[in-house]
Amino acid sequence: MSSLNQADLRTLNRFRILDEIRLSGPVSRIEIAERTGLSPSLITKITAGLIEEGWISKKPTTPSKSIGRRRVMLELNPAAAYVAGVKISVNQVSFVVVNFRGEVVSSETRAVSLVRHPIEHWNRVISQGVRNCVSMAGLELENITALGVGLPGFVDWQTGHIHWSPLTDGPVPDLGRLLKASFSFKVFLENDVNSITLGEQWFGHGLRVDNFIVVSVEQGLGMGIVVHGQMYRGNRGIGAEFGHVVLRPDGPPCICGKRGCVEAYAGGRGILHTAQKALQEGAWPQLEPKDLSMELLILLGQSGDAAALSIFKTAGEMLGLGVAGLIQVFNPARVIITGEYARLGGMMFDHMSHTMTQNLNRAFLDQDLIIIKEWDDTNWARGAACSVLQNIYRNPVISMGG
């Protein structure tokens, strides 16, 4: 085995040990060995190094009656690193600072106008928000190891290049470069739904689930995929763009430039576009076009308005067709539906479930397959921060500065 392969194997083993301590800590070395399959001697050697470097710490317990000695448990050192996380939406930006365990130390959400902005605008918003959130945590910028930013669009997680995003018009300049010029620490850009998928894997419904899918229903639709415990990103790092799968080529226009995408039917923008067309056709003669919004449409649906309920029904049915296809292809243990419009509840998702069931083979049906999770700003930003923590876990001795 070459020295490079040995180094890679050591990095992998360190990650497995750190991740098991994160999941199970406080935990003993023997328990780590049982759960990872690594030898006790290797675990002793690696954990000794992690203790010396300050990533983990010992937590003595009460003496064991059988052997009369204190059993040493290992846990992550929360102060070993602090990471900032940001989630950008079209109408708000959420910020968090988390410790090395992924626990939220401070958080904040700021409203932004519902329009596209130059990338320099987002750089200013993020820079100001991160500084404020760090201050709220009682920390200095020097205490921050790195920043993770989750945003909608086609984002190459390896290079940080944004191929396209609904947040800005035209070609997308290098947001990562602008942010790196604002801070002394490293900056990582990620698709926002990949961020929340990692968050679900770390502390949500994906915890200890090897195969699951996250579908976000916001202004657009997004998806994150975990296969055999690993995030699936595609060949160019921009995979899992479920929202832009075409269901009907002659369907309504989508923001991506195509027609008939799942998002054009079931995303917030698509639903509102359908509602505006219904308004023009006389659905709500008492309303002016400028008065129609998603919030009003939701209120109409909740009050039993037939036209609004019909729009949500169609959106749910089209989403159900798309999700059924995902389940047939990936056969996940769990599909987590989240995002701002998860709050639509039965108005949309009862129809999704019904259509999905009609279009699935019985072998794929599972009572616990679908989970509808209410949207939480902080969890999205926390997921972006955890994507950075995962990099540190994989190689905790790398220099994250600069």
Side-chain angles (χ1 to χ4, degrees):
M1 180 180 290
S2 69
S3 59
L4 177 60
N5 286 335
Q6 288 175 353
D8 289 344
L9 182 60
R10 186 169 185 271
T11 296
L12 175 62
N13 288 336
R14 290 170 72 100
F15 170 73
R16 292 175 64 188
I17 291 170
L18 271 174
D19 207 42
E20 186 57 45
I21 295 173
R22 175 184 68 84
L23 288 168
S24 304
V27 62
S28 69
R29 291 180 176 89
I30 293 299
E31 290 170 321
I32 296 172
E34 292 171 350
R35 294 168 187 173
T36 63
L38 300 174
S39 69
S41 60
L42 179 62
I43 290 170
T44 297
K45 179 180 179 181
I46 291 178
T47 55
L50 292 171
I51 291 171
E52 182 178 352
E53 294 158 10
W55 300 106
I56 63 175
S57 57
K58 298 178 182 179
K59 183 179 181 180
T61 60
T62 56
S64 168
K65 293 181 180 179
S66 60
I67 59 177
R69 292 188 304 177
R70 288 184 181 273
R71 191 180 187 191
V72 176
M73 309 293 279
L74 302 176
E75 61 184 358
L76 297 180
N77 173 12
Y82 292 97
V83 169
V86 178
K87 198 281 185 183
I88 311 177
S89 300
V90 292
N91 58 355
Q92 63 186 20
V93 184
S94 302
F95 305 88
V96 297
V97 171
V98 303
N99 62 24
F100 191 53
R101 293 177 181 169
E103 299 164 335
V104 176
V105 181
S106 65
S107 64
E108 180 186 20
T109 297
R110 297 186 175 192
V112 293
S113 58
L114 189 63
V115 295
R116 295 185 178 187
H117 295 283
I119 210 71
E120 291 80 7
H121 166 85
W122 295 112
N123 177 54
R124 288 192 298 271
V125 169
I126 294 170
S127 298
Q128 293 168 4
V130 168
R131 284 178 166 81
N132 189 59
C133 209
V134 169
S135 178
M136 290 168 58
L139 301 170
E140 302 291 337
L141 286 178
E142 291 73 20
N143 302 126
I144 302 301
T145 304
L147 167 66
V149 179
L151 68 157
F154 302 161
V155 184
D156 187 328
W157 70 282
Q158 290 183 313
T159 66
H161 180 68
I162 306 169
H163 297 273
W164 171 84
S165 175
L167 298 174
T168 186
D169 286 311
V172 183
D174 190 350
L175 176 60
R177 179 182 56 79
L178 293 175
L179 288 170
K180 287 173 185 176
S182 299
F183 299 111
S184 60
F185 40 75
K186 283 193 174 180
V187 177
F188 298 86
L189 301 187
E190 175 70 279
N191 171 269
D192 56 353
V193 187
N194 282 345
S195 296
I196 194 58
T197 300
L198 185 58
E200 288 293 333
Q201 187 179 34
W202 272 47
F203 49 79
H205 293 291
L207 187 66
R208 294 191 182 277
V209 179
D210 285 340
N211 299 280
F212 70 93
I213 289 173
V214 172
V215 175
S216 69
V217 185
E218 298 192 275
Q219 291 297 321
L221 289 183
M223 181 174 72
I225 307 170
V226 172
V227 178
H228 300 312
Q230 300 295 317
M231 183 82 72
Y232 176 79
R233 301 177 186 273
N235 182 51
R236 297 175 61 196
I238 56 173
E241 282 297 334
F242 168 60
H244 300 291
V245 172
V246 175
L247 293 179
R248 294 179 179 172
D250 60 346
C254 181
I255 193 173
C256 74
K258 303 195 298 293
R259 300 185 71 92
C261 296
V262 187
E263 180 174 307
Y265 291 101
R269 278 185 298 264
I271 292 172
L272 189 58
H273 180 269
T274 303
Q276 288 166 341
K277 185 177 180 181
L279 177 62
Q280 293 170 1
E281 295 171 352
W284 304 285
Q286 75 279 15
L287 290 180
E288 294 291 332
K290 63 181 177 59
D291 297 326
L292 186 60
S293 65
M294 272 296 289
E295 292 305 316
L296 178 56
L297 191 65
I298 291 170
L299 288 174
L300 287 169
Q302 291 170 340
S303 68
D305 182 87
L309 289 175
S310 176
I311 290 169
F312 290 128
K313 177 177 182 289
T314 299
E317 289 171 345
M318 299 305 284
L319 181 60
L321 282 175
V323 172
L326 295 177
I327 294 170
Q328 293 278 170
V329 171
F330 290 100
N331 186 25
R334 190 162 292 167
V335 178
I336 303 164
I337 309 290
T338 189
E340 181 178 2
Y341 297 122
R343 59 193 168 99
L344 286 168
M347 289 194 297
M348 179 168 172
F349 297 109
D350 283 354
H351 302 292
M352 180 199 76
S353 297
H354 179 69
T355 302
M356 188 186 73
T357 301
Q358 286 184 319
N359 290 275
L360 278 176
N361 297 105
R362 289 187 177 274
F364 290 92
L365 296 176
D366 189 311
Q367 186 175 0
D368 300 320
L369 178 62
I370 302 292
I371 293 175
I372 310 295
K373 180 174 180 178
E374 288 292 329
W375 183 52
D376 185 281
D377 294 319
T378 301
N379 281 347
W380 286 76
R382 188 182 181 191
C386 286
S387 67
V388 176
L389 284 178
Q390 189 175 67
N391 280 313
I392 303 175
Y393 280 30
R394 290 193 185 281
N395 192 356
V397 295
I398 64 174
S399 172
M400 300 293 292

